[in-house]
Amino acid sequence: MIIVIASASPLFPEARPAVEVERTFLTALCKAILARPDKDLRERRISAAFATLETKGDTP
């Protein structure tokens, strides 16, 4: 599965690590989506989409 998320403002205050445990990333993503960077700003504007990707081995 491929998931794409777009936001009108940065989701994270700084760059994420190049290698990260998925649970750590998903927890940070959940918090980022639910939080507002500045309480005086409107709620975040976020779009998301997903697509499935099926891979197959070589066939003779």
Side-chain angles (χ1 to χ4, degrees), residues 25-53:
F25 173 76
L26 292 173
T27 299
L29 178 61
C30 182
K31 288 178 181 178
I33 290 172
L34 295 174
R36 286 188 217 176
D38 183 337
K39 299 296 182 193
D40 293 331
L41 298 176
R42 295 184 302 176
E43 291 184 12
R44 287 191 184 272
R45 291 186 357 228
I46 298 172
S47 293
F50 71 94
T52 57
L53 174 69

Side-chain angles (χ1 to χ4, degrees), residues 54-60:
E54 184 178 339
T55 59
K56 297 181 180 180
D58 292 335
T59 54

